[in-house]
């Protein structure tokens, strides 16, 4: 799967998502974009999953309007060591993620 990491996530997390093509919002030149614009660009670029820790995103955006799955990591911090604990569950649940919906992990 093609996964886009939100700018609030450390880029190093992408290396842990083995078997997936991962990029970051800043690497794509999309740092600072509002969520709706970011999701639109991600869909246009062919990303299938948007990974974030922004727990409010599903409430703020009408996800059904976007052909991308959103995975929200529920974690105490966005420190790489805390986030890595969630990676096995993320990888396990990715196949069940659905475009236009949010999936909470953690």
């Amino acid at each position: 799967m093609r996964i886009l990491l939100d700018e609030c996530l450390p880029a190093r997390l992408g290396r842990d998502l083995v078997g997936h093509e991962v990029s970051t919002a800043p690497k794509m030149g999309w740092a600072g974009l509002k969520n709706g614009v970011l999701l639109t660009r991600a869909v246009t670029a062919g990303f299938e999953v948007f990974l974030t820790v922004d727990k409010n995103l599903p409430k703020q955006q009408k996800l059904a309007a976007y052909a991308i799955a959103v995975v929200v990591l529920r974690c105490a911090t966005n420190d790489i060591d805390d986030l890595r604990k969630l990676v096995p569950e993320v990888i396990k649940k990715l196949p069940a993620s659905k475009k236009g919906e949010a999936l909470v992990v953690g």
Side-chain angles (χ1 to χ4, degrees), residues 52-98:
T52 185
V53 291
D54 184 352
K55 64 183 179 211
N56 294 319
L57 187 135
K59 298 172 194 162
Q60 296 168 342
Q61 300 295 318
K62 294 181 182 176
L63 297 182
Y66 302 98
I68 191 167
V70 174
V71 176
V72 179
L73 301 177
R74 192 170 48 199
C75 199
T77 73
N78 64 346
D79 181 76
I80 188 70
D81 292 326
D82 288 335
L83 293 166
R84 281 186 170 141
K85 294 173 188 173
L86 299 178
V87 168
E89 187 178 354
V90 169
I91 291 173
K92 181 180 177 183
K93 290 186 174 182
L94 275 178
S97 64
K98 296 181 180 166

Side-chain angles (χ1 to χ4, degrees), residues 6-7 24-34 38 41:
D6 198 358
E7 64 185 286
T24 67
K27 185 176 178 181
M28 297 298 295
W30 301 337
L33 292 180
K34 297 207 181 260
L38 180 59
R41 290 210 182 158

Side-chain angles (χ1 to χ4, degrees), residues 1 5 21 34-35 40 46 51 58 62 77 82:
M1 290 185 149
L5 299 182
E21 182 183 336
K34 297 207 181 260
N35 288 332
T40 299
L51 199 62
K62 294 181 182 176
T77 73
D82 288 335

